[in-house]
Amino acid sequence: QTCALPIYFTVSEALTYGFKPAGFDNVALGPTYDYEHFAHDLQEIAAGSGGYYSPDQVHRLGLQLVFLTTEMKRFVLRGEISPAVQFARDASSAPGLWSAEIGMDLRGAYALNDRWMLGAQVHLESGKQYRDFYAALTLRFSFSPRAAVLSTDLPGSPFR
């Protein structure tokens, strides 16, 4: 069976207000809008894998909170929390489906001493038709002493 590669189009916009409360390097809060379009429905194309989520249209309206605690401390935390409502329409659901979803990504690092750092990440994306969750721990050794944790020390995604 042959399959054309999906043609995918997306637009994402956010209007955020940035501020800096005590204990944070930055905080941004505001509404978001996302639009996605797949030219081909691939929900049942891959035998054995269940296909790929590929509705004709997805409109998502949400609220996004992004923050970073003060750097150069023993502990630093960066996070993004995004609750949203989503409207998706594809060939099999002519009127479309409304659903609630949430996205969350938290990454932190703690200096155990001047050479060892413990990092952690918790990631969740959950909606009516999908749920993606993973957690990771990292242990980092520095060859030279470190006085504090920076945002660049936070763990990256294990899938990138």
Side-chain angles (χ1 to χ4, degrees), residues 56-83:
D56 180 51
Q57 294 181 40
V58 178
H59 298 271
R60 188 177 300 112
L61 184 62
L63 183 66
Q64 184 177 48
L65 171 67
V66 179
F67 64 88
L68 175 65
T69 61
T70 305
E71 294 185 271
M72 296 300 295
K73 302 281 185 185
R74 192 167 187 169
F75 174 74
V76 172
L77 178 68
R78 177 174 54 213
E80 180 177 332
I81 302 169
S82 305

